[in-house]
Amino acid sequence: ENPVRTSHGDERIVAFNNTLLIGSNNRIEGVLFSGEDISDRKGLESQLQQSQKMEAIGTLAGGIAHDFNNILGIILGNAELAMDDVPDWNPARANLEEIKTGSLRAKDVVRQLLSFSRKTELYRKPIEMNPIVQESIKLLRASIPATIEIRLNIPKDMVAIKADPTQIHQVLINLCTNAAHAMEKNGGILEISLEQLELAEKEILDNDGLKPGAHIKLTVKDTGHGMEKDVAERIFDPYFTTKDVGKGTGMGLAVVHGIVQGHKGSISVESMPGRGTTFILLFPMVEIGKAEKLERTEKTITGNERILFVDDEATMVDLNRQRLVRLGYNVIGKTDPS
């Protein structure tokens, strides 16, 4: 199997085969030389290997995040309980505040890991994409250098997908921030496009998890320094980064990949050194009439009912029993469900 450059300048993978032609006298009379273009097959094999690798890493990340989440819950919960009992004037309260702040930062890391592994519960409803794109750009404009021009190419007609708006917002911010970093030195153009397209059965063979039908295509394109092929193949790996120490964790694009997969979509990248990078995201489209604005309310719930709290971690049982008692409930905590 060797790469061959065609007269048009394209590179194809060709499988060459040499077969000896043996005559009746057992002498070699010739060689049959043939070549078969297997570029498409090799491409599918590469995609399958990448998909399997991401799934394995996702399973590992999800398991680690789940265990760490339990430990983090114990630290954060006990810090909050202690803060209720320590008055403001006590120096220990400042230390407890630091523990709480650090725990909340760690909580965000866990959430990123869970997003990547697709083990988070997504709050999905039909939402309009146009306002989310425009809102993301408003936030980005303040932090992106003036040397970078932002171009929006979105239809006047509203397009909608079934999604968690917070996570779609996170995807856009991440991709656009990376694009801005790639153009930081010389400036350039950041272009965000939305369009509708119909995917046929043949077209989805190269896109793992997609189904035929109407889709929204979100494109984030930059005119930055681009990437080598070996870098482009690894950008969705957790903790892989090309940024300097202290400028990136390497979790951003891994999280983006997990979010997109969790929304039954696909993400791909096209890039060449010196020619910029383009991310292409596909999401199943829903009827615009079904799209709705989401509202969430958070309030502390109190009461005096009886609650049975069961968890296999004795520390979690004790912690949550205390928290619920402080809210007025009568709590029985157990580690054995029977």
Side-chain angles (χ1 to χ4, degrees), residues 63-84:
I64 294 170
H66 178 74
D67 290 341
F68 187 58
N69 214 29
N70 284 340
I71 299 167
L72 198 58
I74 294 168
I75 296 170
L76 183 59
N78 278 291
E80 289 178 337
L81 284 174
M83 285 172 66
D84 288 343

Side-chain angles (χ1 to χ4, degrees), residues 7-56:
S7 58
H8 298 292
D10 301 326
E11 188 178 87
R12 307 293 292 177
I13 304 296
V14 178
F16 293 105
N17 188 50
N18 302 322
T19 304
L20 295 178
L21 302 177
I22 310 297
S24 55
N25 56 2
N26 223 21
R27 293 180 60 186
I28 298 173
E29 295 186 356
V31 177
L32 176 63
F33 174 74
S34 63
E36 179 189 1
D37 185 345
I38 59 169
S39 305
D40 294 339
R41 191 177 80 202
K42 293 295 287 185
L44 288 172
E45 286 176 2
S46 175
Q47 287 181 1
L48 178 61
Q49 288 170 357
Q50 176 71 3
S51 176
Q52 290 172 336
K53 180 182 72 173
M54 296 301 286
E55 187 174 346

Side-chain angles (χ1 to χ4, degrees), residues 16-307:
F16 293 105
N17 188 50
N18 302 322
T19 304
L20 295 178
L21 302 177
I22 310 297
S24 55
N25 56 2
N26 223 21
R27 293 180 60 186
I28 298 173
E29 295 186 356
V31 177
L32 176 63
F33 174 74
S34 63
E36 179 189 1
D37 185 345
I38 59 169
S39 305
D40 294 339
R41 191 177 80 202
K42 293 295 287 185
L44 288 172
E45 286 176 2
S46 175
Q47 287 181 1
L48 178 61
Q49 288 170 357
Q50 176 71 3
S51 176
Q52 290 172 336
K53 180 182 72 173
M54 296 301 286
E55 187 174 346
I57 296 173
T59 302
L60 175 64
I64 294 170
H66 178 74
D67 290 341
F68 187 58
N69 214 29
N70 284 340
I71 299 167
L72 198 58
I74 294 168
I75 296 170
L76 183 59
N78 278 291
E80 289 178 337
L81 284 174
M83 285 172 66
D84 288 343
D85 298 331
V86 175
D88 293 342
W89 55 262
N90 194 314
R93 189 172 178 88
N95 298 119
L96 292 169
E97 286 280 6
E98 288 300 317
I99 293 172
K100 182 179 178 181
T101 302
S103 298
L104 289 173
R105 285 175 61 192
K107 178 183 171 185
D108 288 337
V109 175
V110 172
R111 191 171 62 214
Q112 286 187 326
L113 281 168
L114 289 172
S115 294
F116 163 70
S117 66
R118 292 178 257 162
K119 295 188 184 300
T120 45
E121 297 239 354
L122 298 177
Y123 186 72
R124 290 200 298 252
K125 281 195 175 183
I127 57 165
E128 295 170 353
M129 282 290 286
N130 309 47
I132 290 181
V133 172
Q134 290 170 339
E135 182 187 339
S136 299
I137 297 308
K138 279 182 185 177
L139 286 172
L140 282 163
R141 184 67 275 182
S143 59
I144 288 179
T147 53
I148 297 174
E149 178 188 349
I150 298 178
R151 293 180 185 175
L152 278 183
N153 181 19
I154 58 178
K156 291 181 180 178
D157 298 332
M158 292 287 185
V159 291
I161 65 173
K162 191 175 182 181
D164 181 320
T166 303
Q167 293 201 322
I168 297 301
H169 181 79
Q170 184 182 355
V171 165
L172 276 163
I173 294 291
N174 196 296
L175 292 177
C176 292
T177 302
N178 280 352
H181 285 159
M183 299 182 285
E184 207 167 21
K185 288 184 179 179
N186 305 315
I189 299 169
L190 171 60
E191 186 176 351
I192 299 100
S193 305
L194 274 179
E195 62 177 295
Q196 302 179 37
L197 73 160
E198 193 79 20
L199 287 184
E201 187 78 41
K202 182 183 176 184
E203 294 173 298
I204 65 170
L205 291 175
D206 294 341
N207 292 288
D208 182 37
L210 293 182
K211 294 181 180 179
H215 283 74
I216 300 299
K217 181 181 179 182
L218 170 65
T219 308
V220 178
K221 183 179 181 181
D222 69 65
T223 57
H225 49 64
M227 294 179 284
E228 297 285 352
K229 184 180 177 182
D230 59 333
V231 174
E233 287 176 350
R234 294 190 60 197
I235 56 171
F236 297 119
D237 292 0
Y239 300 112
F240 174 76
T241 180
T242 57
K243 296 175 185 175
D244 295 336
V245 176
K247 286 195 172 181
T249 63
M251 273 305 294
L253 288 173
V255 171
V256 166
H257 184 276
I259 290 173
V260 173
Q261 293 285 313
H263 283 78
K264 299 181 180 177
S266 76
I267 181 169
S268 58
V269 62
E270 297 173 357
S271 186
M272 286 185 68
R275 296 192 183 181
T277 301
T278 302
F279 283 92
I280 300 165
L281 291 76
L282 295 172
F283 296 99
M285 193 171 84
V286 296
E287 292 179 27
I288 198 68
K290 293 182 179 178
E292 55 186 83
K293 293 180 180 178
L294 302 178
E295 292 183 6
R296 298 188 191 184
T297 56
E298 292 183 9
K299 61 179 182 178
T300 302
I301 300 171
T302 59
N304 56 10
E305 292 86 356
R306 178 174 295 184
I307 291 176

